[in-house]
Amino acid sequence: MDRDLIYWMPGEPNNVITSWDIDNAGQDCVAIVPPADIEAEDWLNTWDDIVCVGERNYICETMALSLP
């Protein structure tokens, strides 16, 4: 496992508090922003921290399942 691997967009995560975020919750969710050019060399580095509001698809981290 490469622990130096980073998928964040440049300048992210930045936890910006938006003007409409009345709870000052910050950005605790991640969006994978589709790149304009999938052929680009760094197409995978498109993670952006976002406000956790509204319906979204999600992935949860959990322990690996051990099968018999």
Side-chain angles (χ1 to χ4, degrees), residues 16-26 51 53:
V16 168
I17 304 292
T18 58
S19 60
W20 51 266
D21 184 1
I22 59 173
D23 296 328
N24 289 328
V51 176
V53 176

Side-chain angles (χ1 to χ4, degrees), residues 7-62:
Y7 295 114
W8 293 105
M9 292 172 37
E12 302 294 344
N14 58 14
N15 200 35
V16 168
I17 304 292
T18 58
S19 60
W20 51 266
D21 184 1
I22 59 173
D23 296 328
N24 289 328
Q27 299 178 324
D28 294 325
C29 288
V30 174
I32 300 173
V33 181
D37 179 13
I38 294 177
E39 300 298 323
E41 184 176 316
D42 62 347
W43 68 269
L44 191 57
N45 300 332
T46 59
W47 289 16
D48 182 16
D49 61 329
I50 60 172
V51 176
C52 302
V53 176
E55 290 186 26
R56 303 189 190 281
N57 295 318
Y58 57 89
I59 299 172
C60 295
E61 182 178 7
T62 186

